[in-house]
Amino acid sequence: MASSAPIGESSQAGSSSSAPQSSPGASRDGPPPAIICIGMAGSGKTTFMQRLNAHLHAQKQPPYIINLDPAVKTVPFARNIDIRDSVNYEEVMKQYNLGPNGGIMTCLNLFATKVDQVIGILEKRAPSINSILVDTPGQIECFVWSASGAIITDAIASGFPTVIAYIIDTPRTKAPATFMSNMLYACSILYKTKLPMILVFNKTDAQDADFAKEWMTDFEAFQRALQEEEGNDDGVGGSGYMASLLNSMSLMLDEFYKHLDLVAVSAMTGAGVDEFMKAVEGKCLEYEKDYKPEMERARKRREEQKLEEKEKELGRLMKDIDVGDSGKKREEPAVMSDIESSDEDAGQGILERDEDEEMEDEEGLQKKHERIRV
């Protein structure tokens, strides 16, 4: 699962003259790649999305954009699908007596019930688009750790090569302890989503990201930074708990860094965007090679577990019927599968909605979500 390029190599490769001509879907066959942008509030995620959108338009490769932030007031770029067209964030908070985070999660839950329609639209548009950009809420925990966030991410990743772009506020990460906290959060997101990840150190116009590259490739350099942070030779907290914790985490993350690409970007000036697109192309190949087979194996395991649970439930049901039957044989269907089969034969089973056929453009999504508009 490790990336074929070491940390920082993508930035060096991006300096070639051919870099501006590259696009994530130009040199590969199959579905267009999906880039899910995740970042803390204030990390510059929306500005990065705006810069990436402008960059792709300038290359005549306009992306297909999905906004999943229901609480945002204004978005500085055009969206093809916007969660705000389906769910009213303020009304959700009022009617369900929720706070800001609870309102965002509820909106995502409502939107997730229609994710199959979103995927249907993307599949129809796939032949004519080169990439998919997904903007997520700044309240990162509302998306990453919620059930709806996992449903939406898995649905997209099941049909499209998907890359997580974790946006980091570089100036705020200058302190070793803050840097370590960000890396631990990135580690948790990587193993939660099980998708290829690119660390995007944003705002490099204000703070260069060379220190991050050094800390991720040189363990001793990070140790020296810890010592300088406290201005003594014993490091943070001396020989106490804090020093031991940071040292242990830095050793653990040394292996984690091998699975990542680091790209330094300035969303304000546009520096590093070409390097980011090259990194996306590499991660798409990694997705096809390592992540997609693992996802298929995981899906197969879930299906087998569901089948085993169904068989256990069937066995318990049959046992209960035998006990309550007192030796008498019943005429009616004894198990749920029999009832479902007879219903299907009679044309009374689960119906496929014809409404999905009407989703020819983005306006169709808004119509389809009116039933969940609050």
Side-chain angles (χ1 to χ4, degrees), residues 17-36:
S17 60
S18 61
Q21 304 302 321
S22 64
S23 63
S27 61
R28 56 185 304 277
D29 298 326
I35 304 171
I36 301 178

Side-chain angles (χ1 to χ4, degrees), residues 229-291:
E229 179 79 1
E230 286 295 309
N232 58 61
D233 295 332
D234 296 327
V236 178
S239 59
Y241 170 76
M242 192 62 179
S244 176
L245 176 63
L246 289 175
N247 289 333
S248 299
M249 289 191 297
S250 61
L251 284 172
M252 180 273 292
L253 290 176
D254 187 58
E255 178 67 23
F256 164 68
Y257 295 147
K258 298 178 182 179
H259 300 279
L260 303 175
D261 279 355
L262 183 153
V263 180
V265 172
S266 172
M268 185 65 64
T269 65
V273 175
D274 290 323
E275 289 83 352
F276 173 77
M277 300 311 299
K278 277 185 167 292
V280 169
E281 183 65 28
K283 288 299 180 182
C284 287
L285 298 176
E286 183 179 327
Y287 167 91
E288 297 288 350
K289 179 181 177 182
D290 298 321
Y291 286 84

